[in-house]
Every structure is written in structure tokens, then in C-alpha cells.
Amino acid sequence: IIEVMNGCICCTVRGDLAVALKRLSLKTSGFDGVIIETTGLADPAPVAQTFFVDDEVKRYYALDGIITVVDAKHVMEHLHEEKPEGVENECVEQLAFADRVLLNKCDLCDEAAIEEVHKAIRGINANADIIRTEYGQVDPKRLVNIQSFSLDNVLKMDPEFLSTDGEHQHDLSVSSVSVRFDGELNHQQLRMWLSELMQEQAKDLFRYKGVLAVKGMSEKFIFQGVHMLFSGGFDARFRWAATEVRECRLVFIGR
């Protein structure tokens, strides 16, 4: 696993991606493929472009396909979100470039809502396979070695795809905040804070997660959420070791 941490993979560290791919081809032999996971705010076009504009990368790799995971519960509000002039809607871009769409969280929507999302996706991308999923469960064989990426189709949609001169602009109102500190939290106050946070800020909380130490508990409190959807609790599989520093880590992405 190679983690690119010092910037956006579709902007500032795109060159780092090419370097990592070249280094991987030299150091590792016999691997079946490379899976690149971007953030939910990444534009897939510049990442895909890396496999066609860099001759050395093109010599060792072929782009198999682009997989986009869609939150069926919340995607419509992001598709229709108004962006400042010149700013791309990454949600639309990710669907437009997708070869396969995993329509996830279908268990949280009725059939009418799912059909509405399905129609919206088809309005953006008429060719991608759409796979309905719950909890992201899907046969891996439907995700790898699919040979679905077509440069010809992409060039019809975006004639400037292979141009390296263009720039794209992210929505600067969206950012991330991470917090890490040693110590423990009071369980009741933690619950009250999370509840208040969701009630007041849910619309602007695109993604949030954390691992927390709670006073008096040997298990770690693990939570994650999207807008008003929250899942969290003590997990017996993850306990604080006697020699481990009890600490709290939280990450928030949104406005």
C-alpha cells in the first residue's frame, strides 16, 4: 500500500502518482494490478490522464476501468448543488467518467427514490453499468479485469482529455479538519456533542469518522457518518492495549 498524503491526487500530487507507479513497476514483479483509491472530492479525469500522457507509465500499465461508488441516500442533493463559476461539480465528474457505478445504500431508499437516482445517473452517463449494493457488498470479479475504459468514448465526451494545459478548480468552501489528542472523553458528554453536531451541522457534514478513548471503557469507540446518518459504538474487536496511549482521533469533511 502506497499512501500519497501531501495533497490532492488530481492536482498537486499528480506527478507523485506517476513516480509511484514507475517505482512500483521496478520494485515489484508479478503483481496482478494496481487499485487507486481517491477521495470523494477528486476529479477522476486527471488521474486517468496519467495513464495516457506519461510514456513510461503507459508502457507498464493499462487503465482497466473507473469505479464510482454512489450514496443513493444523498447523491441527488450533491448532483444539484450549485457551484461557483468555474468550479467543477466533482460528483457529476465522477459519474461522467465512471465505467461501473456501485449504487450503494439501496437499503435506505424506497424503489421510487432508487429509480430517481438511476435516471439521474443515466442522464449523465448512458453507458456505465449500474450495480445496486447494500453495505458496499459486491463480487470483486465485477470490479477488476473488466476492460471497460475506452479512450475513444472519453474523447467524445471530453475532447480536451489528453491536454495537460488545462486546470480544474475545486470548491474551496469544502475542506477537511482532523483532530488528535491524548486523553479520554466522558461518554454521556460525547453522545450529547455528537447529537448536537448532527442536529445543527448535518447538511454540511459530508463525511466524518473517529476512534475515541472513553473513560472507564477498555473498548475503542468507533464512529462514522454521512450527513444525518450515523453509526458508532464500542467495538469489542478493538480494545486499548495496556501499553497503548489512550487517545482520540476525529476527521470531518464538509463545509
Side-chain angles (χ1 to χ4, degrees):
I1 297 176
I2 299 175
E3 187 174 9
V4 180
M5 302 175 60
N6 60 333
C8 174
I9 198 171
C10 64
C11 300
T12 57
V13 298
R14 201 188 330 174
D16 290 1
L17 172 62
V19 171
L21 289 169
K22 295 172 188 176
R23 187 181 301 126
L24 188 62
S25 67
L26 296 174
K27 289 188 174 182
T28 309
S29 62
F31 59 85
D32 297 316
V34 177
I35 296 175
I36 300 173
E37 181 185 9
T38 70
T39 71
L41 299 176
D43 181 352
V47 181
Q49 187 188 67
T50 302
F51 293 88
F52 296 94
V53 300
D54 188 301
D55 291 335
E56 193 172 349
V57 171
K58 188 165 59 174
R59 187 182 312 126
Y60 290 109
Y61 300 94
L63 184 55
D64 184 47
I66 296 176
I67 311 295
T68 298
V69 182
V70 173
D71 182 338
K73 180 72 174 178
H74 300 104
V75 67
M76 295 302 291
E77 61 189 271
H78 291 285
L79 285 178
H80 297 146
E81 184 179 359
E82 292 188 10
K83 297 284 188 177
E85 185 177 354
V87 175
E88 295 179 349
N89 185 325
E90 291 89 356
C91 185
V92 174
E93 291 292 312
Q94 290 174 12
L95 282 172
F97 277 88
D99 298 301
R100 296 242 164 126
V101 174
L102 302 186
L103 188 55
N104 197 37
K105 299 184 182 178
C106 289
D107 53 313
L108 302 180
C109 306
D110 58 30
E111 188 62 29
I114 294 175
E115 284 300 321
E116 182 184 7
V117 173
H118 196 284
K119 183 178 179 180
I121 294 173
R122 278 285 170 255
I124 298 170
N125 188 328
N127 299 313
D129 295 330
I130 301 176
I131 304 172
R132 295 189 182 189
T133 63
E134 298 177 8
Y135 296 96
Q137 296 181 350
V138 62
D139 185 347
K141 292 180 181 179
R142 304 182 73 177
L143 306 179
V144 295
N145 295 323
I146 59 177
Q147 300 180 7
S148 293
F149 187 86
S150 169
L151 180 59
D152 291 337
N153 288 340
V154 170
L155 288 174
K156 290 178 183 178
M157 175 184 65
D158 182 6
E160 301 299 319
F161 172 70
L162 294 178
S163 173
T164 58
D165 296 329
E167 294 184 357
H168 65 281
Q169 183 178 345
H170 288 292
D171 186 348
L172 299 180
S173 69
V174 178
S175 61
S176 63
V177 175
S178 62
V179 180
R180 177 181 179 181
F181 59 89
D182 294 346
E184 302 174 321
L185 297 175
N186 177 281
H187 187 206
Q188 185 61 31
Q189 291 182 332
L190 169 63
R191 289 286 188 180
M192 292 171 60
W193 177 72
L194 288 172
S195 176
E196 181 179 343
L197 187 68
M198 286 187 291
Q199 291 294 330
E200 297 182 358
Q201 304 290 335
K203 183 180 179 181
D204 294 328
L205 289 173
F206 297 170
R207 190 81 167 89
Y208 49 100
K209 59 185 105 173
V211 179
L212 310 175
V214 174
K215 188 175 182 178
M217 301 298 297
S218 60
E219 299 90 357
K220 297 181 179 182
F221 186 93
I222 300 175
F223 75 90
Q224 62 174 325
V226 177
H227 295 302
M228 280 292 291
L229 291 180
F230 173 86
S231 173
F234 296 101
D235 195 325
R237 297 172 300 171
F238 303 100
R239 297 176 177 271
W240 294 101
T243 57
E244 190 175 5
V245 176
R246 293 171 70 92
E247 63 177 9
C248 298
R249 299 187 184 190
L250 307 93
V251 178
F252 298 91
I253 302 173
R255 285 195 174 84

